[in-house]
Amino acid sequence: MSFVRRSVTVLAAATALTAGLALPALAHVTIQPGSAEQGGFTKVAFRVPNERDNASTTKIEVSFPTDHPLAFVSVKPVPGWDVKVTEGKLPKPVTTEYGELDEAVTKVVWSGGKVEPGQFQEFEVSMGKLPEGVDSLMFPTKQTYSNGEVVDWSQAPKADGSEAEHPAPLLKLTPAAANGTAGTTAPATAPAAAAPSVAPVAASGSSSDGTARLLGGAGLVVGVIGLVVGFLGLRRRPSA
């Protein structure tokens, strides 16, 4: 019995370790995909997992950069959710190929829906043109739960390269391809003045790599259980 108790203890520790390795990948609000080409247009999804087992996520507030503003922003409707796009004056006007930009989208808020425990939701946005000569754009996000808790995902990456406790969704920007094409195609008609543009975009499929990571972690747990059970069977087998 002492051996059995030790085996159960080892199994419990292995399970806890596996869960600890599998779940952090799902814990943060992230932007998918995590990179795009400089100078182009792109579509991204803000992926919001529910970290709580006793409350639902009911509101998502994403702040857009004002130091490198985006002239064109459009949002994809999410069934069951209301969306509000806020435009505001920029701290300093920015010159673009469409003219001088003195205001842009500064915030997008989704509310009215629910992300239940054990689930995640993606909120899609099309935007551009992405700035050139900039390595990344940060999108600080506030996640509100049904119990009133607000989690502020707004921390920049640490200087040593390690991840902050509450990292802001980060879109890495890479130099444009050598053939001169950058990102997706720009809107067919741009406004005479570079006023922000907000409109629905076409639907597209959602990524599911977070779910794959969780399933992979569960498979590892099952493998550990199988090893312990097999070892117990060998211990109990009578000697020849």
Side-chain angles (χ1 to χ4, degrees):
M1 291 301 295
S2 176
F3 172 77
V4 172
R5 282 196 298 270
R6 286 198 300 270
S7 299
V8 171
T9 300
V10 171
L11 177 59
T15 301
L17 177 61
T18 301
L21 292 173
L23 294 181
L26 302 177
H28 304 332
V29 175
T30 57
I31 191 168
Q32 303 292 332
S35 64
E37 286 188 352
Q38 298 173 4
F41 288 75
T42 189
K43 186 189 73 172
V44 299
F46 292 95
R47 179 175 297 170
V48 181
N50 193 323
E51 292 185 299
R52 304 293 179 259
D53 57 7
N54 60 352
S56 302
T57 295
T58 57
K59 181 180 177 182
I60 297 297
E61 179 180 318
V62 179
S63 294
F64 279 62
T66 56
D67 53 345
H68 298 290
L70 300 168
F72 302 98
V73 175
S74 56
V75 296
K76 178 183 176 181
V78 181
W81 291 79
D82 299 320
V83 60
K84 179 181 179 181
V85 180
T86 300
E87 302 172 9
K89 290 286 185 181
L90 299 174
K92 183 174 68 174
V94 177
T95 301
T96 73
E97 62 183 287
Y98 305 113
E100 190 173 77
L101 185 68
D102 59 4
E103 68 175 41
V105 171
T106 57
K107 187 182 297 183
V108 179
V109 179
W110 289 269
S111 60
K114 286 185 178 182
V115 183
E116 302 287 357
Q119 299 179 356
F120 73 91
Q121 178 65 56
E122 291 187 338
F123 302 88
E124 294 184 346
V125 176
S126 177
M127 57 190 183
K129 290 181 66 171
L130 301 175
E132 298 184 50
V134 177
D135 293 335
S136 62
L137 293 177
M138 197 165 67
F139 296 83
T141 300
K142 292 183 179 179
Q143 180 178 13
T144 301
Y145 286 91
S146 56
N147 60 6
E149 179 187 5
V150 178
V151 180
D152 191 2
W153 303 100
S154 60
Q155 295 176 340
K158 294 182 179 181
D160 61 2
S162 61
E163 189 175 65
E165 182 179 0
H166 292 94
L170 191 71
L171 179 65
K172 295 181 179 179
L173 301 180
T174 59
N179 60 10
T181 59
T184 58
T185 304
T189 304
S197 172
V198 180
V201 296
S204 68
S206 298
S207 176
S208 59
D209 63 10
T211 302
R213 290 191 184 99
L214 184 58
L215 291 176
L220 183 56
V221 171
V222 172
V224 172
I225 293 174
L227 287 174
V228 173
V229 172
F231 186 64
L232 288 175
L234 291 174
R235 291 277 301 185
R236 293 174 178 173
R237 183 176 297 175
S239 301

